[in-house]
Structure formats: C-alpha cells, structure tokens
Amino acid sequence: MATSGELARLFEPRSVAIVGASTRPGKVGHDILKNILSSGYGGEVYPVNPHADEILGKKCYPSVLEVPGGIDLVVVVVPAASVLAVIEECGKKGIKLAIVISAGFKESGPEGIERERRLGELARQFGMRIVGPNCLGVMSTSNGLNTTFARGMPRRGNVALMSQSGALATAIIDWSLQQGIGYSKFVSFGNGVDVGVVDLLRAWQDDPETTVIVAYIEGLRDGPEFMEVARQVSAKKPVIVVKAGGTQAGARAVSSHTGSLAGSEQAYNAAFLQCGVIRANSMEELFDLAIAFAYQGPPRGRSVAIVTNAGGPGIMATDAVERARLRLASLDPSTVQALRKRLPEASNFYNPIDVLGDADADRYVYAGEHLLRDPNVDSVLAVLTPQAMTRPRETGEKLGSASARSPKPVLACFMGGQAMAEAQEVLNRHKVPNYPYPERAVQSLAKMADYREWCDEPPDPPVLIAADKEAVRAVLAAARQENRVNLGETEAREVLTAYGLRVPESYLARSAEEAAAQAEKIGFPVVMKIVSPDILHKSDIGGVRVGIRDQQEAQDIFELMLLRVRRYAPEAVIRGVLVQEMIQAGREVIIGSTRDPQFGPLVMFGLGGIYVEVLKDVSFRVAPFGERHARRMIEEIRSAPLLRGARGERSSDVEAIVRGLLTVSQMVTDFPEIVEMDVNPLKVKEPGAGAVAVDARITISEAEEAGDGYAVHRFQ
Ligand code: ADP
Ligand code: MG
C-alpha cells in the first residue's frame, strides 16, 4: 500500500459505502456515487438509502448495518441533522474511516457548533477517523478513487494536495488538466473536526506516489505539533503551503513593543521557516512552486545561468535573480570558449548569455547545454521570446532533452501567448516548468534553493543556558500572590539576572538625599528613572534622565521627576526613583517575546528606538531555537550592517546579542506563564565587551491560566 498509518485505507479502501446516495441526478448523493462508479475505482461500492432498491445499477441498502461484509470507508451525504445517527451506526459496524460531506456544522451557527462537537466525540468514542464535515472529499488518481461531487479527476502525477476549502478543488482540477500538473492524492478536509493538516502530512510522508505536498490552509489547530511533524516531513519531501486569512488578534491587551509588532503573520512566517515549510504568498505562487518542485529537483546552490534570445527579458531576469538572493554564475573560461566557438560575434558570452534574436533551436540549446555542464552553474533559466527565427516547439524539445540529461534544474520562461502555446505542452512533457514571466521563474528557483539549503543544514538544537529557575519561580509566585500580571522593575531585573543577563547596578531611592547617596556609591555619571507600576513608557513623561554628574544634580532631578510625574500622571502610584549605573556607549537593541495563539512563544529582535517603532525593522522566531537561528534573526533585519560596523559606525558585540536571544528563547520556554516581555534596550558594547539590559518589562498570565494551555516544545 502506498500510504501507511491509520489513514492508508482512506486512499485505498477495499469497499466504500455512500450513505445518502440518491436516485436523482444533480443531487450531491447521486453525483458522488456516479463519480465513484465511473472513475475506475475497482473496490466494492455500496449505496445506502432506505428509500431505494437500486441506484445506478447498484443494489441499495437501507443502512450500513445491513451491508454484508466489512466497509473500509463510508461517505456521508445525508442532511446535517441525520449525520450523528449515521456515524453511530457506522461506529457500531466497526467502520474506521468516514468522510462527512454534509454541511451544517460549525460554519452555520450555535446548533452546528454543538453538532460538530458531538461528531468529534463520536470519532474518539469509536476510534474512527473522520474527514470533514463540510468538505468535498477525497481523490486518489492511482486507483481512480473519487468520493467528491466535482466534475472530472485531475491528471495523475506526484503532487498531493490538501485543502481547507472545497471550492478551490474544482478550480484546481480544471487547472491541472490545462497546465499539465498531475496529482497523486487530493483531500478537502473542510471544517477538520478530526483529520487535519498534521494527519495528512504524516500519511503522505512516505507515500512513494507523492514527491511534493501542497496545502491550502486558513489556520492550524496545534502550532507546535505542526512544526514538529512538518520538520520531519520536509526533510523527506517539499511541503508548500499557502496560508490565507483569519489573523485573529490576541484577546490580551498588548503592553509591550513585541506584542504590538508580532502578529500571526510573523508567527506563521517564522514557524514555516524554522521547519522547512515553503510558504507561497498567493495561489499563483503555490502552483508555480508545485510545478517547479514536481518537475525538477532543487539546485545545489544559488548560482544561476541565464540563456536568452533577447536583451530586455535577459536584464529583467538578471534583476529578478539579484532581488531573490540568487546570484548570476560567473562562467568557467572553458564555457565561454565553447560559446565563442559557435555563437555569432555579437552575442553576449557572459551571463546572461544572449544568443541573439535570430537564434534557431540548435544555437539556443547549444548554449543551454554548455551552461548546464559548467561547474560554476547550479541552475539554468531559459528565456525565449518569439522572434522571426524563433522555433519555440523545437527549442522546447531540445531544451527538454538537455534538461533530462542534466541533474541540474532547468526552468523556462518562454514569453508570449499564441506563439508559445505549443511549446508549453512540449515543455510540460519534458518536465521543464515554464513561466510566462521571468520573475515568477526566478522566485520559484529561489525558494527551491532555500529549501535545499534547509535540507542540507545540520540540526540547530537550543543551547542550554544555566539559570536559577528557583529564583524566577519565587519572583513569579510573589507577583501571583498579589494578583499582579506586570512584574515590577526590580522583579524583572531579578528574572534577567537569574538567567545570567547583565543588568546595571541599581538602587531605589525614596528621597532626594537617598538618591544623592546612592549615586555617589555607584559612581558618576548615573541614570535616574521613575519607578511606578502605572507608567509603562517612562521617558514619554520625562521619567528617565541620563548623564547625572554629581550629588546636587541627583537631588534636583529627584524632585523634578516627582513633580513632573505628578503633573502628567497624577493617578500614578510612585514607588520612588531608581538610581542606576550609566552604561556608556553601546548600540541599543530590543529583544522581546510574546505568545502567539497558534505557535506559543515568539521571540523578536530589532534595533532599539526609531528602528523598532517607525521602521518595524524586526525579525521573529518561535522559541526555542538554536544558535543558527539566533544569528539569522540578527542578519535578517535591514539595519544589520550597522551592527557590523558599516559606514563608520562602531561594530557591536554580536555574540552578546546571540547569547541574549538564546537566553530569552529559553526563558520563555521554561516559563510559559511569561506571556510578554521586552528587554528594551539591551545596550550592546564593542565586540568582546558584552551587553547590558538597562530596561526590561515582563508580563505574566493571570493566575488561573497557569501553564497557559500552550504546548511548548521541550528538547531537553
Ligand atoms: P522607557 O523605555 O520606559 O522609556 P528606559 O529605561 O528604557 O525607559 O530608558 C529610556 C532610554 O534611556 C533608553 O532607551 C536608553 O537610551 C537610556 N537609558 C536608560 N537606562 C540607561 C542606563 N542605565 N545607561 C545608559 N542609558 C540608559
Ligand atoms: Mg525602555
């Protein structure tokens, strides 16, 4: 059997019953039966309907219980109100797989929600796996199984597709017939009461008929479980996902920078990136990628050679290559020599290779073949425009054979409509993906290269950071005791210290004299900050002063600060003024974390100040992550060159930032009750000199949701 596990028989049932099969053409219960009977499926088919003796020449049974012998799979098309009773009968008969096509569940109001809940319960009670409800069903092209009411089957091929939306399916089938992409399996799982994305990934990971998995999803039930399984499956075959809609904002009020910058989009992007899932940003891209991966293997590197018969499109392709973080291969001298031998003098012999508008198929493919043989080339992009001498069909044939002989991927961009229609078919036959515009070809190639890099990477386990967890537990327990969700400034500093992060020497002053004495003890210059549980952004109301030079100034600032706060925030409870060691020089960065409803702890990195707030120049990862991802978070922000000391800026201790990221990653993994935190800023000194957390804010969950309900990866 091609697929293994609990869902194997879903794709290869020996017998199928259709409950709600109908005698009337045009009814769903009729069309499904007709599809099953006419798509080449060879197993037993049992229509079930108490009001008919025979449908489409098949003996009809009043209930599944009356069907002689076992049933591997039941397809349920009765009205919603009868579904539960039918499933109970199926359970009694020992049926282990059901597809509920019927609508009228959670998508249709309170009654439907309750019905769906009970459907889920029945599944668990009988150990039955249920696809749906409110779905289109299942297709398997190798054995002609079609439990849908869609017209026609897609072409056979090696792409398995799962979709939360049923309506999409019909479009996909139609498109497949036209574009030549073939499918192995198709599942529309609708509301997904039971079988969902993760189950299907598992079912297809070892299916030899499936080399590419494609998914259209609107949400996920269990982010961490998805990540774990997707990571495992991605290592075997590409998983391409388009994620649509439904960005629900967290119910919790957002009190940190990280909380306001992190949306579910960022969480999905980070999660997909970490587990090797290839994200498509549109349906168009989903199919662009599906066809690229289905036809060609990913390139072993990022060097691209372009062959073109026209200058303009060659330049466009070149631009696209650079934007996509691929690079133009610099050709081996022997390749240039070979090209010079056969190409007209006016050609361009350096990448992109322009074989000129009058090139026939032989000249064009001669260049292509030499590029494929060049050791500096990882992939070839073949751009062709219809000109007087162009022979698209013949060029497609020859290019296709050249591609088949080479292990390197060839992607085509034969530009044009009518003139290229024939060539398109030829390229499909040779499994050369063809795109109408160079940008789409290049984008697909770039994501293939990303995927290959992900596959080649060694694992990136979280780095264990020594921490005094007892101390943290005590701090959190004390806050809980007082029903506080926001930790005080001192408490936050204790938590950071327990995880080995450096904080400035600080004392709380309750009078001007105390402030002066403490400042003296620390040594000038010092920083003073208002301490109040009611003030989140201290500097906004003049609650932070840096560079205080002597005792007199410390006293003055103390008075001034209290005055100011009383004026601008008269309600605020003031605990005193913090007198703090001033951390000289250093670049300010922010490391924060928030909890995503799907994926749990999400860690953010960015430069401090305006870079975060105005430019939103930040990066994200789902915790816990290892050193490689910590480094990438730093590299990913646009202002990363500043940290490396570009343009006369001082370079910063990147290692200290890496350590900071790993520390926060572990902290929020260890303590799921930390729902939000910001270290803002972490002042990062010159290389080797470390970093100091001069301000931190930590928010914990309300006591009753202790543990938070989020499953958290634990690698230890
Ligand atoms: P808030 O974020 O509530 O306004 P911070 O404690 O972050 O208050 O202080 C605001 C800014 O003051 C920081 O971004 C930093 O530039 C500077 N600052 C605060 N504390 C120190 C310190 N100990 N040493 C040097 N600069 C500091
Ligand atoms: Mg701050």
Side-chain angles (χ1 to χ4, degrees):
M1 192 147 18
T3 43
S4 54
E6 275 181 301
L7 295 186
R9 290 270 169 229
L10 181 62
F11 304 103
E12 294 182 44
R14 289 160 298 194
S15 51
V16 183
I18 294 94
V19 182
S22 169
T23 49
R24 273 186 287 157
K27 296 269 288 182
V28 173
H30 183 87
D31 294 353
I32 290 180
L33 181 65
K34 200 167 147 205
N35 271 345
I36 292 192
L37 293 175
S38 63
S39 305
Y41 169 65
E44 286 297 331
V45 177
Y46 306 111
V48 175
N49 179 342
H51 308 297
D53 299 324
E54 194 194 279
I55 308 176
L56 291 167
K58 281 270 167 192
K59 178 176 163 41
C60 195
Y61 298 86
S63 110
V64 286
L65 296 169
E66 315 271 327
V67 173
I71 297 173
D72 278 344
L73 172 65
V74 63
V75 182
V76 181
V77 239
V78 298
S82 316
V83 167
L84 298 178
V86 167
I87 291 293
E88 270 204 79
E89 280 185 1
C90 294
K92 284 186 193 136
K93 183 157 173 84
I95 298 173
K96 292 295 171 205
L97 287 164
I99 299 170
V100 179
I101 307 281
S102 320
F105 288 81
K106 83 174 175 202
E107 80 287 357
S108 69
E111 205 184 321
I113 292 174
E114 174 56 16
R115 189 177 289 131
E116 183 153 330
R117 195 189 57 75
R118 284 170 57 206
L119 183 63
E121 254 172 35
L122 287 178
R124 280 186 292 278
Q125 182 188 330
F126 291 112
M128 185 191 297
R129 301 304 316 258
I130 296 182
V131 176
N134 186 26
C135 74
L136 196 69
V138 171
M139 295 190 233
S140 169
T141 53
S142 61
N143 59 359
L145 177 73
N146 181 359
T147 78
T148 77
F149 52 91
R151 221 163 289 145
M153 283 275 264
R155 286 167 44 131
R156 192 171 168 178
N158 49 11
V159 178
L161 181 129
M162 63 177 99
S163 174
Q164 211 164 332
S165 153
L168 259 180
T170 33
I172 287 164
I173 295 164
D174 207 43
W175 192 84
S176 116
L177 297 174
Q178 194 202 1
Q179 293 287 313
I181 189 167
Y183 292 89
S184 54
K185 314 238 160 34
F186 165 84
V187 176
S188 138
F189 57 86
N191 296 2
V193 67
D194 176 32
V195 171
V197 179
V198 166
D199 302 287
L200 293 167
L201 285 178
R202 281 207 183 98
W204 291 339
Q205 64 180 327
D206 296 317
D207 174 15
E209 290 174 0
T210 298
T211 59
V212 182
I213 298 175
V214 170
Y216 167 86
I217 63 168
E218 286 156 12
L220 288 169
R221 270 199 307 254
D222 183 338
E225 189 193 20
F226 169 82
M227 285 184 74
E228 195 179 306
V229 174
R231 184 179 279 138
Q232 193 184 310
V233 178
S234 295
K236 297 180 182 173
K237 52 189 76 168
V239 177
I240 306 165
V241 177
V242 70
K243 151 83 177 69
T247 52
Q248 75 266 58
R252 200 169 5 92
V254 167
S255 62
S256 66
H257 284 297
T258 309
S260 63
L261 288 167
S264 109
E265 268 309 283
Q266 282 83 357
Y268 271 99
N269 277 335
F272 285 4
L273 188 103
Q274 284 170 262
C275 59
V277 167
I278 302 142
R279 181 167 190 174
N281 293 309
S282 62
M283 288 310 287
E284 181 179 86
E285 198 187 0
L286 186 73
F287 293 117
D288 281 355
L289 288 167
I291 217 161
F293 279 101
Y295 282 179
Q296 302 272 322
R300 58 163 195 211
R302 307 190 82 90
S303 293
V304 186
I306 299 169
V307 54
T308 177
N309 71 340
I315 295 168
M316 283 165 65
T318 305
D319 287 348
V321 161
E322 268 150 26
R323 273 197 299 272
R325 292 180 308 105
L326 295 168
R327 60 178 171 266
L328 278 196
S330 57
L331 302 182
D332 192 85
S334 67
T335 308
V336 180
Q337 221 170 26
L339 294 177
R340 279 194 190 283
K341 229 187 280 168
R342 283 273 301 273
L343 266 47
E345 237 174 278
S347 307
N348 188 16
F349 300 103
Y350 295 92
N351 205 2
I353 307 302
D354 186 348
V355 297
L356 303 181
D358 64 349
D360 60 6
D362 282 329
R363 189 201 295 169
Y364 186 94
V365 176
Y366 172 84
E369 278 190 308
H370 279 277
L371 293 176
L372 279 170
R373 260 183 242 142
D374 189 311
N376 300 341
V377 170
D378 299 321
S379 61
V380 168
L381 177 62
V383 180
L384 192 75
T385 56
Q387 303 192 43
M389 299 295 290
T390 313
R391 298 284 172 268
R393 199 189 49 74
E394 197 189 338
T395 309
E397 286 287 358
K398 292 188 163 149
L399 184 71
S401 318
S403 162
R405 284 193 298 272
S406 169
K408 298 176 186 176
V410 176
L411 277 73
C413 176
F414 282 19
M415 299 170 82
Q418 206 83 46
M420 295 301 176
E422 242 189 335
Q424 168 80 61
E425 271 169 45
V426 170
L427 290 169
N428 281 345
R429 188 155 39 74
H430 285 283
K431 296 199 180 308
V432 174
N434 183 35
Y435 301 86
Y437 306 105
E439 294 79 9
R440 282 168 59 184
V442 170
Q443 192 55 31
S444 304
L445 197 52
K447 292 204 172 174
M448 289 173 101
D450 290 343
Y451 173 69
R452 174 70 184 259
E453 273 174 13
W454 183 88
C455 289
D456 291 344
E457 276 166 1
D460 184 35
V463 177
L464 203 65
I465 308 268
D468 182 356
K469 290 194 211 170
E470 269 318 307
V472 178
R473 247 172 239 132
V475 170
L476 302 187
R480 282 265 163 90
Q481 199 81 52
E482 296 170 21
N483 279 320
R484 284 186 289 119
V485 293
N486 289 313
L487 295 196
E489 190 275 335
T490 319
E491 293 170 317
R493 231 166 336 112
E494 275 168 17
V495 171
L496 299 190
T497 311
Y499 270 84
L501 288 177
R502 268 166 66 191
V503 297
E505 188 181 352
S506 317
Y507 301 102
L508 184 66
R510 292 196 182 75
S511 69
E513 292 69 38
E514 244 185 339
Q518 288 160 342
E520 181 68 33
K521 187 155 71 177
I522 292 169
F524 293 99
V526 296
V527 177
M528 289 172 66
K529 302 179 185 179
I530 197 76
V531 178
S532 160
D534 305 313
I535 298 171
L536 282 182
H537 299 288
K538 300 177 286 294
S539 30
D540 288 356
I541 54 139
V544 177
R545 281 294 280 268
V546 300
I548 293 157
R549 282 165 314 222
D550 54 39
Q551 293 209 28
Q552 186 56 51
E553 195 180 354
Q555 292 201 16
D556 294 347
I557 296 289
F558 184 95
E559 307 289 1
L560 184 70
M561 229 171 228
L562 292 198
L563 264 175
R564 277 215 176 154
V565 174
R566 292 219 177 89
R567 163 131 33 109
Y568 294 112
E571 317 283 275
V573 174
I574 299 167
R575 301 220 189 283
V577 173
L578 195 74
V579 184
Q580 189 169 67
E581 170 194 358
M582 175 143 164
I583 305 304
Q584 311 270 18
R587 182 162 299 275
E588 303 195 350
V589 305
I590 174 170
I591 297 179
S593 176
T594 182
R595 242 151 241 277
D596 178 76
Q598 303 284 349
F599 295 100
L602 192 64
V603 174
M604 183 186 89
F605 170 73
L607 291 199
I610 56 161
Y611 295 100
V612 168
E613 284 167 26
V614 181
L615 301 178
K616 298 188 170 38
D617 185 15
V618 289
S619 56
F620 294 91
R621 287 296 183 281
V622 176
F625 49 82
E627 205 178 311
R628 186 170 58 238
H629 278 292
R631 281 185 203 288
R632 288 213 183 134
M633 284 179 81
I634 301 170
E635 285 161 22
E636 265 168 32
I637 62 167
R638 293 188 300 279
S639 32
L642 296 179
L643 294 168
R644 294 195 294 264
R647 300 249 151 190
E649 298 280 335
R650 291 222 186 119
S651 58
S652 308
D653 193 344
V654 172
E655 295 311 307
I657 305 177
V658 169
R659 178 103 190 151
L661 286 165
L662 292 171
T663 304
V664 169
S665 160
Q666 192 183 326
M667 189 188 299
V668 296
T669 306
D670 288 345
F671 290 96
E673 54 269 57
I674 298 180
V675 289
E676 244 169 71
M677 67 167 293
D678 272 346
V679 175
N680 184 25
L682 178 75
K683 286 202 91 171
V684 188
K685 305 195 180 193
E686 70 272 23
V692 185
V694 302
D695 184 32
R697 179 151 43 246
I698 296 179
T699 307
I700 57 176
S701 54
E702 311 266 350
E704 57 272 17
E705 28 172 325
D708 225 358
Y710 293 115
V712 172
H713 282 293
R714 287 189 195 277
F715 288 81
Q716 296 95 311

